[in-house]
Amino acid sequence: MSQYEKAWQAVLQRIDRACRAAGRTAGSVHLLAVSKTFPADAVRAVYAAGQRAFGENYVQEAAAKRESLADLADVEWHLIGPLQANKTAIAAAGFDWIESVDRMKIAQRLSDQRPESCLPLSVCVQVNASGEASKSGVTPEAAVAFARGVAGLPRLRLRGIMGIPAPTSDATVARAQFRVLHECFDGCREAGLAVDTLSMGMSADLELAITEGSTQVRVGTAIFGDRSA
Ligand SMILES: *Cc1c(COP(=O)(O)O)cnc(C)c1O
């Protein structure tokens, strides 16, 4: 077993244990392997272990990696980093999901630029649950109305809500932020939007996120190692 496979298995076990502890069915939480800054060979190793969904933060870096991995036909690529208007065409063609949609201008461009040969692009609305001015994302108050607008675009498929809580060692603070995201997700459902994804939780806090209802954890460090190493 490769080091990557071991680490990947260990993350799956953490997810499984957290699901049990929360009384949730195993398999109700998907794992997105965040491969940003790691080379195509590392993605290949984790793919070989069985992982199919990979998350990237940078449009150009992801495009280069996709090219080296073109022989792996069933990889699902998710963009989880900020997206600038001048990169929407590459993103709309190269990704299966964009989880960081927080401006209507970007959503509109993604819908316009999604190639006809592809299925509608799956998207999540990014919500800023911490209120930090530096963070991307719509406010929790604006999330449902914004999501409704996104869902109305013809070449996008609204999947749900994504959030990146402010790093904190205080579980109470982290929990409160996860709850805000969960409320936005519930708000979408109550508004009749067919959402199925609440993307929250990373290497350090995936158990807490699962307790608070996450359906997709985005895990980099715990699978690929330290990015600053
Ligand atoms: C890098 C990143 C992750 C993964 O974080 P780890 O702490 O390495 O697991 C998850 N989500 C987003 C948006 C990221 O940028």
Side-chain angles (χ1 to χ4, degrees):
M1 225 193 275
S2 73
Q3 54 161 9
Y4 290 121
E5 180 162 9
K6 270 188 212 145
W8 178 76
Q9 292 282 5
V11 170
L12 288 181
Q13 272 170 25
R14 282 177 63 188
I15 293 170
D16 198 52
R17 270 198 301 272
C19 282
R20 279 170 216 275
R24 300 182 54 188
T25 52
S28 63
V29 179
H30 299 278
L31 171 60
L32 182 69
V34 177
S35 45
K36 64 173 176 225
T37 79
F38 288 93
D41 282 349
V43 174
R44 198 176 280 283
V46 176
Y47 176 95
Q51 179 68 26
R52 290 298 176 268
F54 291 87
E56 289 280 338
N57 285 52
Y58 311 102
V59 171
Q60 244 108 23
E61 179 190 337
K65 242 176 262 187
R66 261 196 320 273
E67 206 162 302
S68 331
L69 298 167
D71 56 308
L72 311 180
D74 58 347
V75 174
E76 189 181 279
W77 293 101
H78 294 224
L79 180 69
I80 58 174
L83 178 57
Q84 291 159 351
N86 63 1
K87 305 243 170 62
T88 52
I90 315 173
F95 285 93
D96 302 289
W97 288 58
I98 311 279
E99 298 200 11
S100 50
V101 174
D102 64 356
R103 282 187 290 154
M104 197 45 77
K105 177 188 172 190
I106 298 289
Q108 184 71 57
R109 287 174 70 94
L110 289 170
S111 180
D112 292 346
Q113 294 168 336
R114 178 68 167 172
E116 284 301 330
S117 57
C118 302
L119 291 171
L121 181 60
S122 286
V123 297
C124 292
V125 166
Q126 184 173 348
V127 174
N128 180 354
S130 65
E132 295 164 287
S134 61
K135 277 271 173 72
S136 308
V138 300
T139 64
E141 294 73 28
V144 175
F146 181 76
R148 194 184 283 117
V150 170
L153 294 170
R155 298 288 294 145
L156 302 186
R157 177 178 170 201
L158 176 72
R159 302 301 294 264
I161 298 292
M162 185 274 263
I164 315 167
T168 171
S169 52
D170 183 339
T172 314
V173 174
R175 257 190 136 114
Q177 295 182 53
F178 287 139
R179 280 190 188 151
V180 167
L181 297 170
H182 198 164
E183 282 162 16
C184 293
F185 178 75
D186 287 345
C188 288
R189 286 223 157 139
E190 283 153 21
L193 300 169
V195 291
D196 61 7
T197 300
L198 177 54
S199 173
M200 60 186 198
M202 314 198 288
S203 293
D205 57 11
L206 68 90
E207 285 84 359
L208 207 52
I210 289 170
T211 307
E212 295 299 335
S214 171
T215 71
Q216 180 190 258
V217 292
R218 308 178 308 265
V219 179
T221 309
I223 298 173
F224 292 99
D226 198 339
R227 284 183 293 276
S228 58

